[in-house]
Amino acid sequence: MIIAVIGNSSCSPKEAKLAESVGELLAQRGVTLICGGLGGVMEAACRGAKSKAGLTVGILPGQDSSTANPCVDIPVATGIGEARNLAVVKSAQAVIAVGGSYGTLSEIAYALKDSIPVIGLNTWSLSRDGREDGSIIRVQSPSEAVDKAISLAKRRENREITTPRQVGVRNDRRSKLPH
Amino acid sequence: MIIAVIGNSSCSPKEAKLAESVGELLAQRGVTLICGGLGGVMEAACRGAKSKAGLTVGILPGQDSSTANPCVDIPVATGIGEARNLAVVKSAQAVIAVGGSYGTLSEIAYALKDSIPVIGLNTWSLSRDGREDGSIIRVQSPSEAVDKAISLAKRRENREITTPRQVGVRNDRRSKLPH
Amino acid sequence: MIIAVIGNSSCSPKEAKLAESVGELLAQRGVTLICGGLGGVMEAACRGAKSKAGLTVGILPGQDSSTANPCVDIPVATGIGEARNLAVVKSAQAVIAVGGSYGTLSEIAYALKDSIPVIGLNTWSLSRDGREDGSIIRVQSPSEAVDKAISLAKRRENREITTPRQVGVRNDRRSKLPH
Amino acid sequence: MIIAVIGNSSCSPKEAKLAESVGELLAQRGVTLICGGLGGVMEAACRGAKSKAGLTVGILPGQDSSTANPCVDIPVATGIGEARNLAVVKSAQAVIAVGGSYGTLSEIAYALKDSIPVIGLNTWSLSRDGREDGSIIRVQSPSEAVDKAISLAKRRENREITTPRQVGVRNDRRSKLPH
């Protein structure tokens, strides 16, 4: 299972603490963490994951792997700039947003467009025509975020697995994942 | 001057009418219209622009120019899927959003990240930590949208032109634009 | 009809002269020129096209339209770096390569993958297993390049138009093109 | 260290055997394998790597992780189509091409543009103006390919590490890589 953690490349100490806890909890649950690979929330989440021996993937905007934060195991240098936001969320079965500015908002939008669950800690609220859009699932703590994300990611995986044409492939692949 | 019109590929008759008026007014003011090149709001805006002999550019997600709506003059087949949302807004000096779902939201986010003005007709509202984010400029009519967009696009152009290193290039280029 | 001219962002005077002639001839034949929007071969081709009142489109790697050469009418700021090479060729019905280094080679490859005709003036030769790959059509002059490109682009358009599902759309759109 | 294996999504049994051996040897040397994530050469290389407990990353063109071949550990769903070819090679310190058609050629071009070493087994030959371009390093066997790739990847890493601003980051990160 792969879960994305998204948020600003510079963040408050409070957000860094939240992100680090999220990273720790994901690693303890055997989840691979994917993120944008840079600093701030992304680095804090990776640091948390590495402290619990998790695996971290960083989808970088530039062409140079060395721009990844030091806690990224697998730096993917896309060379496509902010368009990499698409790849961060589409690779995940669920997304946890911690704070975040407009870059994070573009990632939330891309996830929701594809019905990938988005769990939010102190992040954006959306409304249209005076009505709130309830698609972002608001939680109050890292542990609630991780519980919710894993539970929804499992449901998403199951839905996909029951789609006949994919059964074999997904089962095969999943069983070979290091976690 | 290039202004983007963004919105859903399927839309209500009311939204189509708004978008068509926006397209007409942009063309009458000599503005090149850029959009995602598909149906719904995009097609309605292009249809409006063509009815007033405007120039229309469609930034398509796929590799096949023939997927453009029939009112696109210059179909750009990017082949990069939804990542083309980035190109739609970064190519514009201002953005007008008509309605819109999550794809439109990703475009709004990309524009705001780069301080490209976003004018909204019945589109998303954003808030964080209980406070509204006032970055989307709300208007009530197509003419108000176009007035506001052109005025802010000019301000953006001027700001850029006064940046010393770009003076020559931008003045040269702009003077050769067909509009 | 849209034809791409590809080549280095810095080039020899001889290559610039070839590219400028190609641009002139395309404009005289009413073809919209698409290119990567930067200097060298791209700028020379655009300069040629503008000298004959042609329309020029520049698909830029960065997010800033002002990086376009001064002879680009429609700068498309993709923000996706060298991945924009894909969009340059997929938007064209034929491609003319003038000289070129590895960036140009990636564009040739993308075009050939999709059977978009590539006409070469002093450009790459390809071979596999000791046998030459004859896909790049070698020509000796700008006029030969433009003749060949337009003739093959027409054949490609016709092939597409005869595909039933696209007839209406393509005929409609084409008839509204400014050229 | 990350090394890319590139080649066709459908391939001859001979190419599959070469790719599988390359995958095995990379895994035995502790190298993470990155590829385009689909079938043919990509799947054979991943199968080889998994048979030796290596780690495999697949950079997919689509938005759906389930399109990855069953031997990909980390599927990255980019959603950017063939533009993902850029990300495959830029993420690697060296590239091994096994056979390959035009998609592979675009990847070779992207790698060479950035001076990422390309090792070739039965792959493209390039020439310009009648002179062969010697940038692709031709080898005769999987073991020669892997030896050469690792040796050149090390040289590339060292060159980057001695660039002052990156010392700390790269050393930190590398020491935390699972391999």
Side-chain angles (χ1 to χ4, degrees), chain C residues 15 80-86 90 99-103 105-110 112-114 122-130 133 135, chain D residues 15 80-86 90 99-103 105-110 112-114 122-130 133 135:
Chain C
E15 286 172 336
I80 58 167
E82 296 172 30
R84 71 78 149 86
N85 294 2
L86 185 65
K90 300 291 183 189
S101 186
Y102 296 120
L105 181 60
S106 72
E107 293 174 310
I108 291 172
Y110 276 138
L112 294 177
K113 185 171 200 311
D114 204 25
N122 304 332
T123 193
W124 291 99
S125 294
L126 311 173
S127 59
R128 280 221 32 203
D129 307 325
D133 174 298
S135 304
Chain D
E15 285 172 336
I80 57 167
E82 297 172 31
R84 71 79 149 85
N85 294 2
L86 185 67
K90 300 292 183 188
S101 185
Y102 296 121
L105 180 61
S106 72
E107 293 174 311
I108 291 173
Y110 276 138
L112 294 178
K113 185 173 200 308
D114 205 25
N122 304 333
T123 194
W124 291 97
S125 294
L126 310 173
S127 60
R128 280 222 31 203
D129 307 325
D133 176 297
S135 304

Side-chain angles (χ1 to χ4, degrees), chain D residues 14-25:
Chain D
K14 188 191 153 200
E15 285 172 336
K17 205 161 163 249
L18 289 171
E20 190 163 354
S21 296
V22 166
E24 284 176 20
L25 292 162

Side-chain angles (χ1 to χ4, degrees), chain B residues 4-172:
Chain B
V5 179
I6 62 176
N8 252 21
S9 60
S10 66
C11 69
S12 68
K14 187 192 154 198
E15 285 172 336
K17 208 164 160 243
L18 289 172
E20 191 164 353
S21 295
V22 165
E24 285 176 20
L25 292 162
L26 287 172
Q28 285 173 328
R29 303 280 292 270
V31 175
T32 297
L33 185 156
I34 200 164
C35 69
L38 301 178
V41 159
M42 300 171 256
E43 181 163 359
C46 289
R47 190 168 52 241
K50 292 315 294 174
S51 76
K52 305 294 178 188
L55 185 65
T56 59
V57 181
I59 309 293
L60 297 160
Q63 296 196 2
D64 184 350
S65 297
S66 73
T67 56
N69 74 60
C71 300
V72 168
D73 292 323
I74 313 281
V76 175
T78 65
I80 57 167
E82 296 173 31
R84 70 81 149 85
N85 293 3
L86 186 65
V88 171
V89 298
K90 300 292 183 187
S91 301
Q93 281 85 52
V95 174
I96 299 173
V98 180
S101 184
Y102 296 121
T104 305
L105 181 61
S106 72
E107 294 174 309
I108 291 173
Y110 276 139
L112 294 178
K113 186 173 198 310
D114 205 24
S115 303
I116 297 169
V118 177
I119 323 296
L121 274 163
N122 303 334
T123 193
W124 292 97
S125 294
L126 311 172
S127 60
R128 279 220 35 202
D129 306 325
R131 266 177 307 214
E132 200 178 338
D133 175 298
S135 303
I136 300 174
I137 297 154
R138 294 179 180 288
V139 293
Q140 303 305 323
S141 70
S143 67
E144 201 188 342
V146 170
D147 284 350
K148 204 79 189 157
I150 291 178
S151 138
L152 290 167
K154 273 186 189 151
R155 202 183 299 174
R156 189 173 168 86
E157 284 189 334
N158 288 336
R159 199 187 54 190
E160 288 170 353
I161 287 170
T162 55
T163 308
R165 67 170 181 85
Q166 299 175 343
V167 173
V169 171
R170 294 196 78 93
N171 283 342
D172 274 14

